[in-house]
Amino acid sequence: LTSLKGPVESDDSDETSSESSEESLPSDFEQRGSDARDNFVLYVLVLVTVGIGVAGARCLDGTGADDIVTALYVIVQIFTTVGYGDVTVETTWMRLFMTFYAMVLVILAGYAFSITSDAFFERVKASREGNIAEGMRLAMTREKKCVSYEMRELLKSGAIFLLVIVVGTLFFGAYEACTCSYDLSWKDAGNMDHAACPEYSNAADYETCKAAGGYVKNWIDAFYMSVITATTVGFGDVSPKSYGGRAFAIAWVPAAVACTGNFIVKLSSFFFQKKQEMNIRTAKGIHKEMFKKMARQNRTQISRQEYLEYVLVENSLVSWELIDDINFKFDQMDLCRNGVLSYEEITE
């Protein structure tokens, strides 16, 4: 009994150390909570930064309290990098303020925008597919499918992108067919009959507005502006001019930019995946020189791991240096030198 007592106590201590090591590792719930707190702080910083921009515009550039929409409209242009150039700063102090403000806002809002759009599209994808892992398994299978997983994702993102473009075209083509605009856009319109086309007015009919020199958008102009905005080119030759149009743009521009980015990612992923599948299939034709490259340990046989490593390297997914580093790290954790890892070895 005395001889057995030692090992038993040792086992208990091992279990205790294992439990303590498990407790020291953050759970998925704790990690999600930490991420949520970090994201909340980030969003608060973005809101504070936006508020500083609006206050700065009012104090340093003379923007009135009724012109908060214009200030927000400019801020949206900054962090989406659209930059129409239709509303610009006028004073020297505001230019100095905007020099530093733009850098801070692009970094903070761009990061928050990326996190939000990624989370949104992940939720959409999860709800549509039901099970992401199953969808990826079906996408990578060798069986022929009528429509692959990547193609479905590309079609969905393309449909959302086109929907955003259509919404922008219909809104600006109908609501801003002709507008007198307001503030600087109204004052600086030298060819406009300001008496016939009053500031903030969208009440004038199309012919009256056009005859008075108002800002005209036909359907081609609206479509052109929607695409140029969504792709963040932002020439600025055609831009929202009415108060309502700029208010709409505050929400529409970020959505359009996000949907365009998502479509580009899916398009790149689709063509990249097709290329990778083709290269993996050609690896079936193994010749003698290829066999020698694969057989890194036993020159007469190829293991499953060696074949997997070779295919990954040949398709430029990893390098031999990275594989060697991964194997070295594994060997460091494999204290028993049996080619497998226990949880106790990982937490040593």
Side-chain angles (χ1 to χ4, degrees):
L1 291 175
T2 304
S3 63
L4 291 175
K5 186 177 180 181
V8 170
E9 291 178 349
S10 176
D11 290 342
D12 290 341
S13 62
D14 289 342
E15 290 178 1
T16 303
S17 62
S18 176
E19 290 175 359
S20 62
S21 63
E22 288 179 1
E23 292 175 356
S24 64
L25 297 175
S27 64
D28 291 341
F29 178 79
E30 291 173 340
Q31 185 62 45
R32 287 195 297 269
S34 177
D35 293 341
R37 286 191 297 272
D38 293 342
N39 292 343
F40 175 76
V41 172
L42 176 63
Y43 292 140
V44 170
L45 285 175
V46 171
L47 291 176
V48 170
T49 305
V50 170
I52 292 173
V54 173
R58 292 179 58 189
C59 296
L60 301 178
D61 215 35
T63 303
D66 60 339
D67 221 6
I68 293 179
V69 168
T70 303
L72 291 174
Y73 169 70
V74 173
I75 289 171
V76 167
Q77 289 188 56
I78 293 173
F79 81 78
T80 59
T81 69
V82 172
Y84 289 129
D86 52 345
V87 180
T88 57
V89 296
E90 298 295 325
T91 65
T92 301
W93 285 110
M94 188 60 187
R95 287 172 182 164
L96 180 62
F97 168 79
M98 192 59 69
T99 300
F100 297 98
Y101 179 78
M103 291 189 291
V104 174
L105 182 62
V106 166
I107 294 172
L108 287 178
Y111 184 50
F113 185 70
S114 175
I115 292 175
T116 304
S117 60
D118 287 346
F120 172 76
F121 286 115
E122 282 299 321
R123 288 188 177 185
V124 171
K125 183 169 64 175
S127 63
R128 295 277 181 91
E129 293 298 326
N131 191 318
I132 303 273
E134 180 65 14
M136 291 300 293
R137 187 188 67 81
L138 293 175
M140 297 301 294
T141 185
R142 297 300 183 188
E143 299 177 3
K144 295 292 183 180
K145 302 291 180 182
C146 294
V147 181
S148 67
Y149 175 81
E150 287 78 17
M151 176 60 79
R152 292 198 301 272
E153 289 294 302
L154 176 61
L155 292 175
K156 286 190 291 185
S157 62
I160 295 173
F161 168 71
L162 291 177
L163 177 62
V164 170
I165 296 298
V166 169
V167 169
T169 301
L170 292 177
F171 178 85
F172 291 109
Y175 186 80
E176 287 198 349
C178 186
T179 179
C180 303
S181 193
Y182 67 101
D183 200 29
L184 295 179
S185 300
W186 179 76
K187 296 174 183 176
D188 294 342
N191 297 326
M192 182 186 296
D193 183 355
H194 292 82
C197 202
E199 188 178 8
Y200 288 99
S201 175
N202 265 33
D205 62 86
Y206 177 80
E207 295 299 333
T208 303
C209 176
K210 183 178 180 181
Y215 295 98
V216 177
K217 281 189 185 73
N218 56 37
W219 291 107
I220 294 178
D221 293 333
F223 176 66
Y224 163 79
M225 191 199 76
S226 298
V227 174
I228 292 300
T229 300
T231 54
T232 70
V233 174
F235 287 127
D237 50 345
V238 182
S239 61
K241 296 296 184 183
S242 67
Y243 192 81
R246 288 174 178 173
F248 174 78
I250 292 172
W252 179 80
V253 170
V257 172
C259 292
T260 304
N262 182 60
F263 175 63
I264 292 173
V265 169
K266 298 302 181 184
L267 186 65
S268 302
S269 177
F270 173 76
F271 285 110
F272 178 76
Q273 183 62 37
K274 288 299 180 183
K275 179 182 178 181
Q276 291 304 315
E277 288 181 358
M278 180 184 65
N279 290 339
I280 292 173
R281 290 192 186 103
T282 58
K284 291 181 178 179
I286 301 174
H287 50 75
K288 189 172 183 179
E289 292 301 319
M290 190 181 297
F291 184 91
K292 291 180 180 179
K293 290 182 180 179
M294 291 184 186
R296 304 179 71 195
Q297 298 179 359
N298 186 340
R299 286 308 197 183
T300 60
Q301 294 178 330
I302 299 174
S303 67
R304 180 189 295 272
Q305 178 181 345
E306 288 174 329
Y307 177 76
L308 175 62
E309 291 174 353
Y310 178 82
V311 170
L312 292 175
V313 172
E314 286 301 302
N315 285 278
S316 301
L317 297 176
V318 296
S319 64
W320 285 119
E321 290 76 13
L322 178 59
I323 288 178
D324 290 338
D325 186 52
I326 293 173
N327 287 330
F328 177 73
K329 297 288 175 52
F330 184 92
D331 292 338
Q332 284 186 317
M333 292 185 290
D334 186 12
L335 303 179
C336 297
R337 298 293 186 264
N338 57 359
V340 294
L341 294 176
S342 64
Y343 184 77
E344 286 74 16
E345 288 177 299
I346 294 176
T347 55
E348 279 292 333

